[in-house]
Amino acid sequence: MLVIRKATPTDVPDVLALVKELAAYEREPDAVVATEADFLRDGFGEAPAFHVLVAEDAAGAVIGFALYFFSYSTWVGRRCLYLEDLFVQPEHRGKGAGVALMKALAKEAVAKECRRFVWQVLDWNAPAIAFYERLGASVRREWLSVRLEGEALAALAR
Amino acid sequence: MLVIRKATPTDVPDVLALVKELAAYEREPDAVVATEADFLRDGFGEAPAFHVLVAEDAAGAVIGFALYFFSYSTWVGRRCLYLEDLFVQPEHRGKGAGVALMKALAKEAVAKECRRFVWQVLDWNAPAIAFYERLGASVRREWLSVRLEGEALAALAR
């Protein structure tokens, strides 16, 4: 039986491994520099920067996860649930783990009085886009993501 | 002289007015349902959901603002500074308020050990995209925004 539950600190090695699997799937296998210590510090302390749900299969193995935090909509005047990462291992897909994670996130959004549940998807990831649209989500192609990092960020801060 | 400072609760009416001006500029003049009470509750309590910087002109009038919160990068393993809204009133542009707000945000990102400063821009907003690129930011066109809200969100949560 599939179980969706909140992650505990002992899940951190599994979660980091899944983050790396997701990065490889997203064609950036070397992009993950985060460590278990980073996740323990930032996700499991007094004011966590993120929250994690894990999907566990009948054997008790963690086969998927969802990592989220709360953003804010100044138009709505409420927190939004922002899904940073969603991943189910390829060999465990098609058994409802993805939908179960999304349902749990929707419940959490409603419980926290979020009016919006938001995330991003890569434009070439057609199976994911179709999956999200089946759940009633809409892709907002007019909004582009912008990023400032590295030396450009340091230079602007000086 | 231009001053960039943290907003206080007494700035909330000005900030909400600027949020509405920004929504009108973004061609969704009726999209703002947030109230002053929402902003006071969510931005100025014990665990604020967002933070606000305001730009004040020589006469002490608030002519622009930046509203941000902290997101998280599971690849970097650090909080990111997420800029939700940036706006300078059209009649006060070209005098450095936008750059001053972006510089203050970059400083805040570095101070909070964020490795990334991120935001979104509308694809038709060429002046904003050019402004951001001059600051060294890069547009990541491969990431699409997805949103679930209203009845579709409620249905998934049931």
Side-chain angles (χ1 to χ4, degrees):
Chain A
M1 208 190 87
L2 183 77
V3 172
I4 305 295
R5 61 170 176 78
K6 287 195 175 177
T8 67
T10 58
D11 293 311
V12 164
D14 284 340
V15 171
L16 183 57
L18 291 170
V19 165
K20 289 179 179 173
E21 275 193 64
L22 173 57
Y25 176 76
E26 289 179 337
R27 304 178 187 170
E28 299 214 38
D30 303 319
V32 181
V33 298
T35 64
E36 292 181 15
D38 291 333
F39 284 3
L40 284 167
R41 178 195 62 228
D42 295 335
F44 299 89
E46 280 206 4
F50 61 81
H51 309 274
V52 186
L53 298 177
V54 292
E56 225 176 54
D57 69 5
V62 172
I63 53 107
F65 81 111
L67 189 145
Y68 64 98
F69 45 78
F70 296 96
S71 60
Y72 197 78
S73 166
T74 49
W75 293 6
V76 178
R78 284 289 186 287
R79 281 178 173 82
C80 305
L81 192 148
Y82 188 99
L83 174 61
E84 175 68 17
D85 284 344
L86 177 75
F87 187 69
V88 175
Q89 289 176 316
E91 61 272 32
H92 293 283
R93 289 184 194 162
K95 291 180 263 177
V99 172
L101 284 165
M102 291 296 286
K103 265 190 106 64
L105 293 163
K107 276 182 207 294
E108 170 76 348
V110 169
K112 293 288 161 57
E113 297 187 43
C114 302
R115 305 279 165 82
R116 285 183 184 166
F117 172 16
V118 296
W119 62 97
Q120 292 190 311
V121 67
L122 282 160
D123 55 4
W124 52 258
N125 195 353
I129 293 171
F131 170 73
Y132 295 141
E133 287 179 339
R134 278 198 303 276
L135 298 178
S138 58
V139 176
R140 323 290 294 197
R141 292 181 186 269
E142 70 276 26
W143 286 103
L144 308 180
S145 293
V146 193
R147 188 192 294 174
L148 185 64
E149 62 188 335
E151 179 46 35
L153 173 58
L156 186 60
R158 276 194 293 266
Chain B
M1 209 191 87
L2 183 77
V3 172
I4 306 295
R5 61 170 176 79
K6 287 195 174 178
T8 67
T10 58
D11 293 311
V12 163
D14 284 340
V15 171
L16 183 57
L18 291 171
V19 165
K20 289 178 179 173
E21 275 193 63
L22 173 57
Y25 176 76
E26 290 180 337
R27 305 177 186 170
E28 298 214 39
D30 303 319
V32 181
V33 298
T35 64
E36 292 182 15
D38 291 333
F39 284 3
L40 284 168
R41 178 194 63 228
D42 295 335
F44 298 89
E46 279 206 5
F50 62 81
H51 309 274
V52 186
L53 298 178
V54 293
E56 225 176 54
D57 70 5
V62 171
I63 53 107
F65 81 112
L67 189 144
Y68 64 97
F69 46 77
F70 295 96
S71 60
Y72 197 78
S73 167
T74 49
W75 293 6
V76 178
R78 284 289 186 287
R79 282 179 172 81
C80 304
L81 192 148
Y82 189 100
L83 174 60
E84 175 69 15
D85 284 344
L86 177 75
F87 187 69
V88 175
Q89 289 176 316
E91 62 273 32
H92 292 283
R93 290 184 193 162
K95 292 180 262 177
V99 172
L101 284 165
M102 291 296 285
K103 266 189 104 64
L105 293 163
K107 276 182 207 296
E108 170 77 348
V110 169
K112 294 287 160 59
E113 296 186 44
C114 301
R115 305 279 165 82
R116 285 182 184 167
F117 172 15
V118 297
W119 62 96
Q120 291 191 312
V121 67
L122 281 159
D123 55 4
W124 52 258
N125 195 352
I129 293 170
F131 170 72
Y132 295 142
E133 287 180 340
R134 279 198 302 276
L135 297 178
S138 58
V139 176
R140 323 290 293 197
R141 291 181 187 269
E142 70 277 25
W143 286 103
L144 308 180
S145 292
V146 192
R147 188 192 294 174
L148 185 64
E149 62 189 335
E151 179 47 34
L153 173 59
L156 186 60
R158 275 194 294 266

